Amino acid sequence: MRLRNLWIMLTIGCFFAGTIFGCGDDSTGANENENQFPCDYDGVCDEGEDRAWCPDCAVQCDLNEGDNYDYIVSELILPESASDGIGVDMTGDGEVNNRLASLLGVVPESDTNPNDAIAEAIADGTIIMLGRLVVSDWENDEAMAVQVFQGTSDATEQLFDVGNNHASIADGFDRSLHLCGTLTGGYVEAGPSDLNISIAFGDMMLDLPLERAQVVAMEMPMTEDDWTDVMIGGGVSQDTINNTIIPEVVTWLNEATIEDPEGGVGDFVINSLDGDCSPTPEGCEGVVAGEGECAIWDPVADPDGPVITETEIKCSNLFATALKPDVDSTGDGVKDMLSLGVMVSAVSITIDN
């Protein structure tokens, strides 16, 4: 299976239901967060509101105020279960919001563990994520900035040779994206705002946009030389799920199945997804299992596939549940965002452009 590194501009529900996430009925009327996570969305930061979930309290910062400190991500860890504590609190209830472990649990194991795949991709330069802190005062900065870039380098072997490593920001990357936050003695809380990160999906790599993203370093302080176990988390919109994640997952599953129909991924696709459409998921009311976009693949008549279609993913009860939004990002009582998060470490680097 070849490793796919797909650059896609932009960051899973209760597959394990209450067992892992304690999720219940997602139906909502009035804003269920109104008392626990107060936010009037009136542009004024009122008492009891917090910037972590209320945009009225957002910190303002300037990328031109402060010194730049540049880094390269040397380790990126995905959660293997909800108990890992990887990710950020997007709703202010003191609990980490992250459905990534659930989604990864739906996809059958491939030859490479997702965290091993990411480690390999970082080591060989397939994935280069760069970070930048804009800091005026390392002891106390109430308006610092955090940026994350996609990077590129022709000198992969030097990427982690501290003191000699160089990289560049990828062409076309939006350099204006940043999170504003506070830094006290290296402890950082920044966001929410938009950010881009890379994650593994089986043997596939995806670069995804996170909305309402946060960068949090509260267990280990950031320094001028490195980051250790920094949490990055946020949400992906339904549009990103439908138009980015699902199409790329379908492409990957089809390639893996045609390459090895009897392998772990191939067996899962053929016996659990192919033709197994349900009218229950939203937007699937007219589908019929085994017909049209939900027809059973015939490897003799159509050896090159596709084995499954986007409809078969969208209308799969398994994936529809795993991809169900779990965060209300606007305070209107409707969960509209799917949470995910990762943990990263980074070392100092020179960004040449």
Side-chain angles (χ1 to χ4, degrees):
M1 173 84 59
R2 66 186 179 89
L3 190 65
R4 302 178 49 135
N5 183 28
L6 306 171
W7 170 239
I8 305 166
M9 283 297 296
L10 296 159
T11 226
I12 316 186
C14 301
F15 172 59
F16 299 107
T19 304
I20 294 182
F21 294 105
C23 301
D25 185 358
D26 281 331
S27 61
T28 55
N31 182 5
E32 65 184 32
N33 294 341
E34 183 175 357
N35 295 323
Q36 193 171 11
F37 326 124
C39 185
D40 292 334
Y41 299 91
D42 59 359
V44 178
C45 187
D46 300 317
E47 184 178 357
E49 295 179 337
D50 188 282
R51 64 183 174 82
W53 66 86
C54 185
D56 295 346
C57 301
V59 174
Q60 303 298 318
C61 63
D62 189 330
L63 291 176
N64 297 312
E65 294 183 0
D67 297 320
N68 292 347
Y69 299 86
D70 294 336
Y71 308 84
I72 181 170
V73 170
S74 55
E75 183 179 50
L76 191 154
I77 303 296
L78 308 178
E80 297 184 3
S81 72
S83 62
D84 289 350
I86 292 176
V88 300
D89 177 8
M90 295 182 65
T91 56
D93 63 351
E95 300 293 331
V96 167
N97 301 105
N98 194 358
R99 293 289 179 83
L100 185 53
S102 178
L103 181 56
L104 293 175
V106 173
V107 181
E109 290 187 9
S110 59
D111 294 336
T112 306
N113 174 277
N115 278 318
D116 291 339
I118 284 186
E120 180 180 343
I122 288 175
D124 66 18
T126 303
I127 286 181
I128 299 177
M129 285 177 60
L130 306 176
R132 171 172 288 167
L133 302 183
V134 182
V135 178
S136 298
D137 184 350
W138 276 92
E139 289 305 313
N140 184 27
D141 192 335
E142 296 183 351
M144 55 86 68
V146 181
Q147 293 186 282
V148 174
F149 310 108
Q150 184 193 34
T152 181
S153 175
D154 294 327
T156 303
E157 71 278 1
Q158 296 179 6
L159 284 177
F160 305 106
D161 180 13
V162 177
N164 298 305
N165 46 356
H166 290 255
S168 299
I169 300 170
D171 291 340
F173 194 90
D174 186 353
R175 301 180 185 218
S176 67
L177 292 179
H178 66 282
L179 310 184
C180 294
T182 59
L183 179 150
T184 304
Y187 294 100
V188 171
E189 291 185 274
S193 190
D194 295 339
L195 205 62
N196 296 298
I197 64 168
S198 299
I199 63 171
F201 208 63
D203 288 335
M204 177 178 62
M205 297 294 171
L206 286 175
D207 294 309
L208 293 174
L210 289 183
E211 299 179 29
R212 295 196 57 76
Q214 299 175 49
V215 172
V216 179
M218 296 305 294
E219 295 297 325
M220 299 289 291
M222 292 178 170
T223 74
E224 298 180 19
D225 297 319
D226 57 41
W227 302 357
T228 302
D229 296 346
V230 173
M231 300 299 177
I232 302 178
V236 292
S237 67
Q238 190 65 57
D239 180 72
T240 297
I241 294 170
N242 289 339
N243 299 317
T244 297
I245 295 179
I246 289 178
E248 296 303 332
V249 169
V250 167
T251 298
W252 170 63
L253 291 175
N254 276 320
E255 290 183 355
T257 301
I258 291 171
E259 180 180 329
D260 186 6
E262 297 182 357
V265 173
D267 180 74
F268 168 71
V269 169
I270 292 171
N271 294 306
S272 299
L273 296 179
D274 187 24
D276 189 28
C277 292
S278 167
T280 302
E282 184 177 353
C284 297
E285 293 78 6
V287 302
V288 178
E291 297 183 9
E293 288 290 304
C294 299
I296 303 295
W297 176 52
D298 184 344
V300 176
D302 196 6
D304 295 328
V307 183
I308 58 169
T309 65
E310 292 180 26
T311 299
E312 286 172 302
I313 293 293
K314 292 177 181 178
C315 299
S316 159
N317 283 325
L318 187 65
F319 271 95
T321 302
L323 289 167
K324 194 171 186 178
D326 63 304
V327 172
D328 172 12
S329 67
T330 62
D332 63 358
V334 177
K335 294 180 180 179
D336 59 345
M337 195 169 288
L338 185 69
S339 64
L340 61 82
V342 299
M343 182 170 69
V344 304
S345 295
V347 296
S348 178
I349 195 171
T350 297
I351 295 179
D352 292 326
N353 64 335

